[in-house]
Amino acid sequence: MNNTLLLKEKFVEEQFEFSIDANRMESPAVSRSLEKEYQAVREGIAAADLSDVLIYEIIGDEAADYLDFVLTGSVFRLREEHLLHTLCVDDAGEILSDVYVLNIDSEKYYLLADGGDYEALDGFLRKNIEGFDITLKDVRDEYALFSIDGPHCTFCVKEVFGPEVLGLRYMAFLPVEENSGDVYVCRAGKTGEYGYWIMSPRKNGVSIFEKIWSAAGQTDYPMALYGRRLDKLLRLENNFFNYETVKNLTRNPFEIGMFWAVDLDKDMAAKDAVDKIIESTVGRKVIGFRADRGALSQGDSIYYKGTQIGQVIDIQPSPSQDGWIGQGLLDADYVYTGLSYEAGEDPVEIITVNMPFILNKSLSVKVS
């Protein structure tokens, strides 16, 4: 799959490196100063290009029926102008993608897939269309997506879209009519700070971004674009799911802690597989840990008194935590906080902790 970055010129100007992921999607990876990116997200206003997110439009009398069948969450409970954060799993009950659903009205929805196996996801969605009176269309040629994040980002979004933005609750969106089509201002994001995913007609996406960024420039807060390398750290700090981090170790939604996104009381395409996972019990679970050094890699073994009890999922240095933080996939009997284990061939002591790791600044900043 190919993707055209909406804001590529902006990221080139900021001297970002770019990367290609497993889906052959290009993304801004990192600038010359990861510290500047981090400061903007955690203390000011930041922006990311989300052109690597798939955007599907689903239209028809049975749009809700179809989405409820192919996704794990209950679409029928989703009110208009709200979002549902849920999963799409394959016939084995394993995660294909982490998705948002936008309920435009009873016959029109958008599905945003944020990472995963896009080819397998597309195949799964299309093979399950049979029997439903709907049309499914990839609309990335028509729409663009970018995010505005940070504890002070509400100011610049409000300046462009009006004070109604201030009343948006998490997982709600504001449709804004533009001459070239509707813009959807979604109160969402995976940084832990205030965040908005802006979905706009591609032809005027850059101009909308420039208006927002110009308004942000009227403040004294730190500002920066940020890339996928920082995005990975931000998700770890706040315990947001990251398909790329876990895919080589597990795609089981219950091991990963995404059980809240699965409605066990409804019918779905992967119902039998999901039921079997529950019946067989979940033998492993994810837990956070801190380490005094970062000499570990994904997949390294975790030990307790010489016995292997799990593997390292991720480990990264966190500026706000003044040290290394990570996640491990452990045998369920060992998933308790405050315990000391060893990890890696050159043993590193890790101490298990609750997640998320940080207290976000947005919790103490008034929306204005």
Side-chain angles (χ1 to χ4, degrees), residues 31-45:
S31 68
R32 288 189 170 186
S33 176
L34 190 69
E35 293 77 11
K36 178 182 176 182
E37 296 178 47
Y38 187 86
Q39 182 188 31
V41 174
R42 292 295 182 219
E43 298 180 20
I45 304 171

Side-chain angles (χ1 to χ4, degrees), residues 46-104:
D49 191 321
L50 302 179
S51 297
D52 58 341
V53 173
L54 294 186
I55 306 176
Y56 289 99
E57 181 183 71
I58 302 94
I59 295 178
D61 292 341
E62 297 179 325
D65 301 78
Y66 167 73
L67 287 170
D68 198 67
F69 184 66
V70 295
L71 304 178
T72 60
S74 178
V75 176
F76 289 118
R77 296 177 184 173
L78 180 61
R79 294 178 293 166
E80 288 189 12
E81 299 187 7
H82 283 75
L83 300 94
L84 173 68
H85 183 194
T86 189
L87 300 171
C88 184
V89 301
D90 61 19
D91 292 330
E94 297 191 319
I95 297 173
L96 288 172
S97 185
D98 177 23
V99 305
Y100 286 130
V101 179
L102 281 69
N103 182 351
I104 308 303

Side-chain angles (χ1 to χ4, degrees), residues 101-301:
V101 179
L102 281 69
N103 182 351
I104 308 303
D105 58 44
S106 61
E107 297 182 6
K108 183 176 180 180
Y109 293 79
Y110 287 103
L111 186 151
L112 312 181
D114 181 26
D117 185 335
Y118 286 168
E119 185 174 346
L121 171 67
D122 189 75
F124 182 83
L125 292 176
R126 295 189 186 283
K127 83 171 184 177
N128 284 291
I129 286 179
E130 186 176 354
F132 292 98
D133 183 19
I134 62 115
T135 59
L136 173 71
K137 182 182 179 183
D138 182 337
V139 293
R140 281 174 299 152
D141 289 340
E142 302 171 27
Y143 279 94
L145 193 68
F146 62 89
S147 74
I148 304 294
D149 304 282
H152 299 287
C153 72
T154 54
F155 171 81
C156 57
V157 177
K158 176 197 69 176
E159 289 298 297
V160 175
F161 296 111
E164 286 182 85
V165 166
L166 302 181
L168 280 179
R169 295 188 176 184
Y170 188 60
M171 292 289 101
F173 66 86
L174 177 69
V176 181
E177 291 185 6
E178 294 281 338
N179 292 333
S180 54
D182 287 336
V183 176
Y184 301 102
V185 183
C186 307
R187 176 74 174 83
K190 298 177 179 179
T191 69
E193 307 293 350
Y194 292 135
Y196 299 90
W197 281 23
I198 313 295
M199 181 176 153
S200 74
R202 178 168 285 275
K203 57 188 175 183
N204 68 338
V206 173
S207 64
I208 290 174
F209 170 78
E210 288 178 338
K211 290 177 184 177
I212 296 172
W213 212 232
S214 176
Q218 299 173 23
T219 73
D220 295 325
Y221 302 117
M223 293 171 54
L225 305 179
Y226 73 96
R228 280 304 194 184
R229 189 174 299 177
L230 180 62
D231 175 79
K232 182 182 177 184
L233 171 60
L234 299 173
R235 294 192 192 207
L236 174 60
E237 288 183 332
N238 280 99
N239 194 27
F240 278 106
F241 174 69
N242 189 336
Y243 180 91
E244 290 303 312
T245 300
V246 302
K247 67 178 182 180
N248 294 324
L249 298 177
T250 180
R251 292 191 292 116
N252 182 318
F254 301 99
E255 290 186 342
I256 294 167
M258 293 289 287
F259 54 86
W260 55 266
V262 182
D263 186 343
L264 297 174
D265 296 324
K266 76 182 186 76
D267 189 24
M268 67 181 99
K271 176 68 172 173
D272 290 343
V274 170
D275 286 345
K276 286 181 181 178
I277 291 174
I278 296 297
E279 291 170 4
S280 64
T281 70
V282 178
R284 302 181 299 175
K285 295 182 180 179
V286 172
I287 193 168
F289 66 77
R290 299 183 187 275
D292 59 3
R293 56 193 175 99
L296 295 172
S297 301
Q298 184 188 72
D300 281 351
S301 295

Side-chain angles (χ1 to χ4, degrees), residues 316-333:
Q316 298 188 59
S318 170
S320 66
Q321 299 302 293
D322 192 28
W324 294 81
I325 61 173
Q327 288 181 332
L329 181 64
L330 304 185
D331 295 342
D333 290 341

